[in-house]
Amino acid sequence: QQQVKQSPQSLIVQKGGIPIINCAYENTAFDYFPWYQQFPGKGPALLIAIRPDVSEKKEGRFTISFNKSAKQFSLHIMDSQPGDSATYFCAAGLNMGRRALTFGSGTRLQVQP
Amino acid sequence: GAGVSQSPSNKVTEKGKDVELRCDPISGHTALYWYRQSLGQGLEFLIYFQGNSAPDKSGLPSDRFSAERTGGSVSTLTIQRTQQEDSAVYLCASSMGGGQYFGPGTRLTVT
């Protein structure tokens, strides 16, 4: 019940495309859903996060869509650039992220020039 | 300002030896977390400190793993009698409520 399932495992898009990464969770007590970006050899960097009372949140080119009834959320990257090539992780947490996060398995994104 | 720092960045040790990994959180952050990331995998929670409360140790994989946080700031993760399956990147994060901000990690290799 603590699992977060992430798909796809890898994704290749052309520059300017809109990659979409999907996550699904089971535990309805989760109340905080962040996305992290990780470059090789670096720690994960917090990109954007959403709470379940909101259906969509945008920050720059990154958008989270949240479907509470389906227990799913997704990350969209608008106008993707080669510099966006990284591994993306979704996560879910309790108590507004103050407790330990449960992470998805990651999506390796490659944006081709 | 300074982010989360971790040391060493890389550690190679022989099976059976003890290792200590250090985390310096962002100044003023009251919560500190340790996670483990195996090659090509997601992050696995290990332990969480919040202020002066008892730590949440529910993610520690065995009693060979322990951690402490001194003075509400610096934390040390200790792995005793290391095994090859302990090889991973150990990540520390800190938080002031809400977003968790990660350090660069310590890559541990057990030979």
Side-chain angles (χ1 to χ4, degrees):
Chain A
Q1 196 175 18
Q2 287 293 100
Q3 259 191 327
V4 175
K5 295 183 180 179
Q6 183 171 347
S7 63
Q9 188 174 7
S10 63
L11 187 55
I12 300 174
V13 300
Q14 296 296 316
K15 177 183 174 182
I18 305 176
I20 301 172
I21 305 170
N22 300 297
C23 285
Y25 63 97
E26 290 294 325
N27 187 351
T28 55
F30 285 140
D31 60 6
Y32 176 75
F33 303 89
W35 284 89
Y36 284 84
Q37 178 189 57
Q38 186 176 33
F39 293 104
K42 305 291 187 183
L46 179 62
L47 266 180
I48 185 173
I50 198 168
R51 302 184 327 193
D53 55 348
V54 176
S55 61
E56 185 175 278
K57 183 175 181 180
K58 293 182 180 181
E59 285 189 9
R61 296 185 293 108
F62 300 93
T63 298
I64 300 180
S65 297
F66 188 85
N67 185 329
K68 187 174 181 178
S69 61
K71 293 185 287 185
Q72 294 176 349
F73 58 110
S74 60
L75 177 70
H76 297 61
I77 305 175
M78 305 303 176
D79 187 28
S80 59
Q81 301 297 313
D84 296 329
S85 298
T87 300
Y88 292 82
F89 292 94
C90 64
L94 300 171
N95 196 14
M96 297 307 299
R98 292 179 178 86
R99 306 301 301 273
L101 295 174
T102 299
F103 281 83
S105 54
T107 295
R108 193 166 185 174
L109 171 66
Q110 184 179 346
V111 181
Q112 295 183 332
Chain B
V4 176
S5 61
Q6 293 186 244
S7 61
S9 55
N10 283 283
K11 177 72 176 179
V12 180
T13 191
E14 292 180 352
K15 178 182 172 182
K17 300 281 190 181
D18 298 352
V19 295
E20 288 188 348
L21 312 179
R22 176 186 169 107
C23 173
D24 283 88
I26 294 171
S27 178
H29 279 195
T30 56
L32 187 148
Y33 311 79
W34 284 98
Y35 294 86
R36 178 168 70 174
Q37 185 174 28
S38 300
L39 185 62
Q41 300 297 312
L43 282 74
E44 171 192 9
F45 165 70
L46 297 177
I47 188 169
Y48 151 61
F49 297 88
Q50 172 60 61
N52 295 321
S53 303
D56 175 357
K57 303 179 182 180
S58 61
L60 294 178
S62 78
D63 59 7
R64 297 185 296 105
F65 288 72
S66 64
E68 63 177 18
R69 188 179 185 191
T70 54
S73 181
V74 172
S75 177
T76 302
L77 176 69
T78 300
I79 309 173
Q80 295 179 311
R81 305 180 303 281
T82 52
Q83 304 294 314
Q84 287 188 331
E85 60 263 29
D86 299 334
S87 296
V89 176
Y90 289 82
L91 290 157
C92 174
S94 70
S95 172
M96 190 60 189
Q100 295 182 22
Y101 296 89
F102 284 83
T106 293
R107 180 176 297 277
L108 175 65
T109 303
V110 182
T111 61

